[in-house]
């Protein structure tokens, strides 16, 4: 019974949090290091009129001759509105890359499908703008630079729903 009561309190608390400035977005963008496109899921929480936080999950893939690269990216950023809906962002990023050699039929007639996994942490900084289309529907554009051993630019355009 205590667990059920705790669950009910938690759900009502989350509902209250959503009413304060919670948003969910879907976006697509270009990653310069991968030289390809990826899709993102964004969760945004506006703390007050100026400050907010967002978490983003991005998945991207690219095929080169004989190789397939898959990137999984998780980042957490603080956002500060400078003017109107124009904001600056800064935060951290975890990136995981899977590089796979393609076997028969994938561009390498002899190869055996060797696979390499790497991961790294980085810091990112960027800017963005959110434009309101309707009551709870917005479009947004964002560009950030990720500081890693081999840094890259990630630009994206998406749609954001305020809940």
């Amino acid at each position: 019974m205590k667990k059920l009561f705790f669950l009910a309190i938690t759900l009502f608390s989350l509902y209250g949090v959503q009413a304060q400035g919670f948003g969910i977005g879907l976006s697509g963008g270009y990653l310069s290091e991968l030289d390809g496109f990826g899709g993102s899921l964004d969760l945004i929480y506006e703390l007050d009129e100026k400050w907010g936080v967002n978490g983003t999950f991005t998945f991207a893939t690219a095929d080169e001759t004989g190789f397939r690269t898959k990137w999984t990216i998780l980042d957490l950023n603080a956002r500060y509105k400078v003017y109107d809906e124009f904001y600056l962002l800064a935060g951290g990023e975890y990136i995981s890359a899977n590089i796979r050699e393609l076997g028969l039929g994938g561009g390498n007639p002899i190869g055996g499908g060797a696979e390499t996994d790497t991961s790294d942490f980085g810091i990112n900084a960027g800017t963005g703008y959110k434009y309101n289309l309707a009551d709870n529907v917005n479009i947004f554009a964002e560009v950030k630079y990720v500081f890693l051993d081999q840094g890259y630019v990630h630009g994206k355009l998406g749609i954001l729903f305020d809940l």
Side-chain angles (χ1 to χ4, degrees):
M1 184 68 181
K2 289 180 184 179
K3 290 180 183 178
L4 185 60
F5 181 70
F6 178 73
L7 180 63
I9 294 296
T10 303
L11 290 176
F12 283 120
S13 298
L14 288 176
Y15 178 75
V17 166
Q18 289 179 342
Q20 295 176 10
F22 184 75
I24 187 167
L26 296 171
S27 60
Y30 178 77
L31 295 95
S32 66
E33 177 64 23
L34 187 60
D35 197 22
F37 292 90
S40 298
L41 174 67
D42 299 276
L43 299 175
I44 299 169
Y45 180 66
E46 301 290 338
L47 299 170
D48 60 22
E49 288 292 318
K50 292 281 187 183
W51 288 95
V53 293
N54 77 301
T56 303
F57 171 79
T58 303
F59 180 78
T61 184
D63 288 334
E64 295 179 20
T65 306
F67 293 95
R68 175 172 293 140
T69 305
K70 295 180 184 176
W71 280 11
T72 304
I73 304 166
L74 297 171
D75 52 17
L76 182 63
N77 297 310
R79 299 162 40 132
Y80 179 76
K81 288 184 186 174
V82 178
Y83 177 75
D84 190 29
E85 293 296 326
F86 177 76
Y87 58 89
L88 300 175
L89 63 90
E93 177 169 296
Y94 171 76
I95 184 168
S96 173
N98 175 283
I99 303 167
R100 182 174 179 203
E101 184 178 7
L102 301 174
L104 290 172
N108 187 354
I110 302 171
E115 193 167 325
T116 304
D117 290 320
T118 62
S119 61
D120 201 0
F121 288 96
I123 296 172
N124 55 48
T127 186
Y129 186 77
K130 180 174 84 169
Y131 180 77
N132 186 271
L133 291 176
D135 190 28
N136 64 346
V137 179
N138 307 286
I139 57 172
F140 71 98
E142 196 171 278
V143 176
K144 66 182 175 185
Y145 183 80
V146 181
F147 298 92
L148 295 164
D149 289 337
Q150 295 180 343
Y152 69 94
V153 175
H154 183 184
K156 62 183 181 176
L157 178 66
I159 188 164
L160 176 68
F161 301 96
D162 294 329
L163 302 177

